[in-house]
Amino acid sequence: MRNVAAAFIAALLLVACGQSTPPEPAKIATAPAAPKPERLKPTTDGHFSAQITAADFAGYDKRLSSDEFEGRKPGTIGERMTTTYLIDQFKSMGLKPGNGDSYLQSVPAVETTLLDGDKVALDVTQSGKVEKYNYRGDLIVGTLQNVPAVEVKDADLVFAGYGIVAPEYHWNDYAGLDVKGKIVVVLVNDPGHADPALFKGKNMTYYGRWTYKYEEAARQGAAGCLIAHETGAAGYPWEVVVNSWSGPQFSLVPDAKSPPRLAVAGWLTGDAAQRLFASAGADLAALEKAAAKPGFTPVPLKATASIAFHNQIRSMQTDNVLALMPGTTRKDEAIVYSAHWDHFGHDPALKGDQIYNGAVDNGTGLSALLEVADAFAHQNPPPQRSILFLVPTMEEAGLLGSQYYTLHPTFPMTKTVVDINMDELIPFGRTRNMAIIGYGQSQMDQYLADALKPEGRTISGDEEPEKGFFYRSDQLNFARLGVPVLYARGGFDKRDGGEAAGRAAYDDFTAHRYHKPADNYDPSWDLSGVIEDVQALYTVGKRLADESTFPQWLPGSQFGAVREASLKAETH
């Protein structure tokens, strides 16, 4: 996230306030690195062992991503099977419930399903001529308002650049513009993607995320917001947009404090956006260049748009799973390990394979969390601080499960030492490095560097910062409330083949399996690198569990001020 609206931050700070004494600052530069933990002896029950091994990891992933779990979609039998399986594993390890006397934290939500999507179209009228933009082929659209019927008729279309209001960058794409009742069309990513001198250059900020663009358009009073998709700038192809937005969509139950939500939120393919602008007498390519320059002025398009569709609305309950290893001497302080359990379920409209098994995303993260949990459960002596294993729901729906947890935590945010998040660990062999998503934000970088040193490995920054991965996984919600985070995975520098081989393997996964039914467990995976990564993440948590200091945000991080404010507030 990059400086989310002040009102949102203020609301979040209220949750973080009212705790106890602030922690003393960490001194990583002088703190001794923890020795590499000894391998734990395997159990003799013929099943999973306490040792972090490729065999156990594969066993977890194969099971969780099997067809039997039906793609782990929230609100389905696949959810109940997933959460039951996770609880059974935690119980077998001897871990305690993480939410009072329960392993579950109920997350009230709303499921919105578009009806008759094949009949939905955006009608764009220019000089009396109507052009249709059809669902899936040209357009993906839905509502964020949880209402059964949506109709927007003859709304003015406006090109609002990147759809960003960022005072710290002296940027306002809505300057002098009244968009109430209108539909805004915006570009994906942020201006730094086009001009490295702007914002944070190729490092996408939160302003580049679709979630922010919809939030800002709603704050401005727009009836709708359409994002012009471009694969390079977005970091994923159109098929990912279709798969992610088709079928039931989830949101947290709104309340009186909830910010406004759009009636119409959607995406246009690149070709559809070009056609729309051309039909409105505008040159999209020229406007894209203009939008990447300071002082850009929004451009009303000489066209209006109409769209209507119906939804099925269902109140639902979905669950986070929480398991706890209580600390011995500092049990009121917690290290959190997180890995989301949800994926996209089963789509009978697909030909061939209809199940989104999610073996990599996020079967690998779940398997890693279970391996780490078992290691802590059998650790002797046990950790001094508590270890909370959080398995959130609805990550794929916009990080909703972790958002709910951070607003209703079992450990106060000021007593939460760190969140170590595990999401999409690519099983393509050993690497010389681990890439930190969000590198340079906190002292957690040094903790991981120390853990990797005995193996002769190093840390590196995110190889694809322009894709904004830091804003696309559950650690973001902890960071928003000031908790330092670590989100890392094996880098591209493979021991066998170097960076070229690593990038090729990752690109192949993104192009052919990411958010697609093809993301299946493969017994030929080389898990050697993933196991080294999991061991390193366990080592980091083990060290933190026996320290008394708290890691800090580095100067210049946008999240440090939130932590400071929450700690200051609790002393008053």
Side-chain angles (χ1 to χ4, degrees):
M1 179 194 69
R2 179 67 193 176
N3 293 311
V4 178
F8 181 68
I9 285 293
L12 294 181
L13 285 175
L14 290 175
V15 181
C17 295
Q19 315 306 336
S20 51
T21 307
E24 68 264 39
K27 298 178 181 178
I28 286 188
T30 58
K36 182 180 178 183
E38 295 181 2
R39 285 290 194 176
L40 299 168
K41 294 181 179 180
T43 59
T44 57
D45 60 5
H47 298 290
F48 295 112
S49 70
Q51 188 179 14
I52 296 174
T53 68
D56 288 356
F57 185 100
Y60 287 132
D61 200 317
K62 182 178 180 180
R63 182 85 170 105
L64 285 161
S65 62
S66 67
D67 284 355
E68 185 180 358
F69 284 69
E70 296 187 352
R72 305 191 304 272
K73 191 174 185 69
T76 69
I77 187 63
E79 166 171 358
R80 197 53 53 217
M81 293 188 66
T82 302
T83 57
T84 298
Y85 177 82
L86 292 170
I87 291 170
D88 287 347
Q89 297 308 312
F90 289 137
K91 285 181 177 179
S92 72
M93 297 170 191
L95 296 179
K96 297 183 179 299
N99 185 30
D101 59 358
S102 177
Y103 289 94
L104 298 176
Q105 181 185 48
S106 177
V107 181
V110 179
E111 179 189 81
T112 302
T113 304
L114 179 69
L115 300 176
D116 298 322
D118 57 333
K119 299 178 182 178
V120 174
L122 179 76
D123 292 339
V124 175
T125 303
Q126 195 274 331
S127 299
K129 181 181 178 182
V130 178
E131 183 167 3
K132 287 186 176 295
Y133 295 82
N134 296 313
Y135 189 73
R136 283 184 178 260
D138 302 315
L139 171 83
I140 285 293
V141 70
T143 184
L144 303 182
Q145 293 185 346
N146 311 128
V147 292
V150 173
E151 182 175 13
V152 175
K153 188 172 180 61
D154 298 328
D156 291 337
L157 286 168
V158 181
F159 175 61
Y162 287 91
I164 292 171
V165 178
E168 72 277 25
Y169 293 117
H170 308 288
W171 199 278
N172 187 351
D173 285 325
Y174 288 95
L177 181 65
D178 180 3
V179 296
K180 290 182 174 60
K182 300 177 182 179
I183 294 178
V184 295
V185 182
V186 300
L187 302 174
V188 75
N189 213 306
D190 64 39
H193 179 75
D195 183 350
L198 298 173
F199 285 58
K200 286 188 173 293
K202 293 296 183 182
N203 291 272
M204 184 195 288
T205 65
Y206 184 65
Y207 292 119
R209 287 291 290 149
W210 58 265
T211 49
Y212 167 79
K213 295 176 189 292
Y214 292 152
E215 291 164 4
E216 189 59 53
R219 281 191 288 269
Q220 296 291 331
C225 177
L226 301 176
I227 300 173
H229 178 73
E230 196 275 303
T231 296
Y236 41 81
W238 177 251
E239 187 176 0
V240 170
V241 177
V242 173
N243 292 343
S244 301
W245 280 75
S246 298
Q249 301 295 302
F250 304 103
S251 63
L252 296 181
V253 173
D255 57 31
K257 296 181 180 180
S258 298
R261 299 182 181 183
L262 289 172
V264 176
W267 300 74
L268 291 165
T269 68
D271 289 343
Q274 289 182 10
R275 282 169 35 221
L276 187 151
F277 277 70
S279 67
D283 184 340
L284 177 58
L287 287 175
E288 286 177 340
K289 292 180 180 179
K293 295 179 181 179
F296 167 75
T297 301
V299 179
L301 300 177
K302 298 176 182 179
T304 60
S306 299
I307 190 168
F309 51 87
H310 292 83
N311 307 292
Q312 176 180 291
I313 307 298
R314 181 172 71 95
S315 296
M316 60 172 288
Q317 171 188 305
T318 180
D319 293 307
N320 293 331
V321 181
L322 288 79
L324 181 66
M325 177 72 182
T328 55
T329 61
R330 303 175 72 90
K331 61 177 60 180
D332 63 327
E333 299 171 356
I335 289 101
V336 177
Y337 281 88
S338 58
H340 74 91
W341 62 256
D342 63 305
H343 205 53
F344 295 113
H346 169 232
D347 184 356
L350 295 177
K351 295 181 180 179
D353 190 354
Q354 298 178 338
I355 297 177
Y356 293 89
N357 299 88
V360 172
D361 184 13
N362 189 32
T364 54
L366 289 172
S367 302
L369 183 140
L370 290 169
E371 286 287 84
V372 170
D374 210 14
F376 273 109
H378 291 82
Q379 182 179 301
N380 189 20
Q384 296 179 35
R385 281 170 161 159
S386 296
I387 314 293
L388 179 69
F389 300 96
L390 168 65
V391 196
T393 182
M394 296 193 297
E395 190 268 358
E396 301 290 7
L399 319 183
L400 299 181
S402 59
Q403 179 184 343
Y404 187 86
Y405 172 80
T406 56
L407 295 174
H408 305 84
T410 57
F411 286 85
M413 289 294 104
T414 50
K415 290 294 186 178
T416 301
V417 180
V418 66
D419 172 50
I420 300 173
N421 188 47
M422 294 169 286
D423 190 1
E424 195 182 289
L425 308 178
I426 308 298
F428 56 28
R430 299 177 67 204
T431 64
R432 297 182 179 90
N433 65 321
M434 283 189 75
I436 297 177
I437 315 301
Y439 176 78
Q441 293 271 14
S442 80
Q443 293 175 331
M444 290 308 300
D445 294 358
Q446 188 60 49
Y447 274 93
L448 183 60
D450 291 345
L452 293 175
K453 195 174 297 182
E455 299 286 348
R457 303 175 73 201
T458 60
I459 61 171
S460 62
D462 180 5
E463 290 97 343
E464 298 179 307
E466 71 280 3
K467 294 183 179 179
F469 286 120
F470 186 81
Y471 308 102
R472 292 164 57 176
S473 198
D474 287 310
Q475 82 292 328
L476 174 62
N477 285 314
F478 286 88
R480 278 176 157 172
L481 283 177
V483 177
V485 299
L486 177 62
Y487 174 27
R489 56 194 180 197
F492 285 172
D493 190 7
K494 289 188 64 178
R495 291 187 183 275
D496 179 15
E499 291 190 8
R503 182 171 291 277
Y506 185 78
D507 288 348
D508 178 71
F509 168 75
T510 301
H512 300 112
R513 288 176 290 284
Y514 175 63
H515 283 196
K516 297 176 183 177
D519 184 9
N520 294 311
Y521 171 77
D522 186 343
S524 69
W525 279 347
D526 181 352
L527 293 172
S528 57
V530 167
I531 296 305
E532 288 184 341
D533 297 341
V534 176
Q535 183 69 47
L537 296 176
Y538 165 62
T539 300
V540 169
K542 183 176 186 297
R543 173 182 170 186
L544 284 164
D546 293 333
E547 290 184 342
S548 62
T549 54
F550 281 60
Q552 301 294 299
W553 294 102
L554 297 176
S557 171
Q558 63 263 43
F559 305 111
V562 184
R563 186 70 150 185
E564 292 172 8
S566 62
L567 293 174
K568 187 180 296 184
E570 74 177 4
T571 62
H572 290 80

